[in-house]
Amino acid sequence: MIIAAATDIRNDRGCSTMDGYAEALKGILIDIPYNSATHYHEYFGDGPPDRRFGAACITQTIEAARRAVALGAPEPVLLQDMRHVAAVFHDDGEIIVLDPYLLHREPIRFSREAVASGEATVEVPAAPVRYDGTGARRDGRLQARYKKGRNGYVIRLDYFRFSPTKGKYLLSRHFSLREHEIFDLEEFTSDIHRLMTHPEQTSVSIRAVLPGLLRTAEAIIPLRGFAQRTFTADDIWLRTGEGAVARHADPGAAAVWRELEDALGLPRADIVDHLVSAAEIYRRIADPAQELALYALVD
């Protein structure tokens, strides 16, 4: 097995192809916040909301792929793991992966030698940055494992965040991208009601990556118990990149609100209305007998 870190490469014409992937990735992280509420407005509300609110993870990936191609990358394949999609580029024997939802700050690159070997692991830094009890910096981590088999390759993506309370890294998200599980947008959205009320949808939220790509700011409404609730601003939680949480109107939430307002270019009242109305749409369209798992606000 080859173990490596992502580094810059240059093609035969002398231009830096990794620069294009990096530019596309970082542009999405800053320009398009992750937002799980937008499609409720688009499909069951008053239509697509202001683009400044951001977009769902699949839209982030599609736009990252589009930007990379515009900067010279080959057309990618979009590989799907259930409700998640990543862009995979086959570039002159190498494989590059972009998955902005997982907050990696550098493109995932499996070198030509790694791909030829049939098995490799790459680790790249991700947001947010946190600090341990000694004050040492602990970046998020995205570990990617490539393995070629008889039925094609699999790329396993494991995203870790450092937990200051536990003093160690914890696995936060994981996906497996199989070579032949290609994303089809029309098929994926053919039953949008089922998709938007899937039991995995336990919240509506906005997560912005702040300038510098080291910190995040989030506003979240957990949906558990939705059938017995009328959602209001008091249901919103704010979370810092360090993992600290506070209710909508608590003094500890004020700084996060300012960061979200600056990142989105929208006032707090608009963000509140966007999330609360999306939660109310969910309450209207979801089966009231369906119970949801508890959303974990704290690591």
Side-chain angles (χ1 to χ4, degrees), residues 97-139:
V97 183
L98 299 183
D99 191 341
Y101 175 70
L102 295 181
L103 297 174
H104 58 116
R105 303 198 305 266
E106 298 174 8
I108 298 164
R109 173 209 168 202
F110 296 104
S111 68
R112 195 175 303 145
E113 294 77 16
V115 173
S117 78
E119 187 172 355
T121 298
V122 170
E123 186 173 285
V124 292
V129 168
R130 294 178 173 178
Y131 296 88
D132 65 18
T134 68
R137 171 172 160 166
R138 302 296 184 186
D139 290 65

Side-chain angles (χ1 to χ4, degrees), residues 9 20 48-49 97 118 120 144 146 157 214 230 234 255 258 272 284-285 290:
I9 59 172
V97 183
Y146 169 88
L157 301 177
L214 302 181
T230 297
D234 290 336
R258 287 194 297 271
V272 168
R284 172 168 56 84
I285 67 173
Q290 174 175 276

Side-chain angles (χ1 to χ4, degrees), residues 3 6-7 9 42 62 65-66 69 94 111 118 126 134 149 157 176 181 189 200 206 223-224 240 268 289 293 299:
I3 301 178
T7 57
I9 59 172
E42 179 175 357
I62 292 172
R66 188 196 66 79
V69 170
E94 302 196 323
S111 68
T134 68
L157 301 177
S176 294
E181 294 185 2
T189 57
E200 288 183 354
I206 298 174
L223 293 172
R224 183 178 174 86
T240 69
R268 181 191 306 192
D299 288 339

Side-chain angles (χ1 to χ4, degrees), residues 243-260:
V245 297
R247 282 193 176 274
H248 157 65
D250 290 349
V256 187
W257 274 124
R258 287 194 297 271
E259 291 172 334
L260 279 173

Side-chain angles (χ1 to χ4, degrees), residues 77 79 90 148 151-154 177-182:
V77 289
L79 297 185
H90 294 258
K148 180 76 172 180
N151 297 318
Y153 64 74
V154 178
L177 309 174
R178 292 175 171 82
E179 182 176 2
H180 303 299
E181 294 185 2
I182 297 174

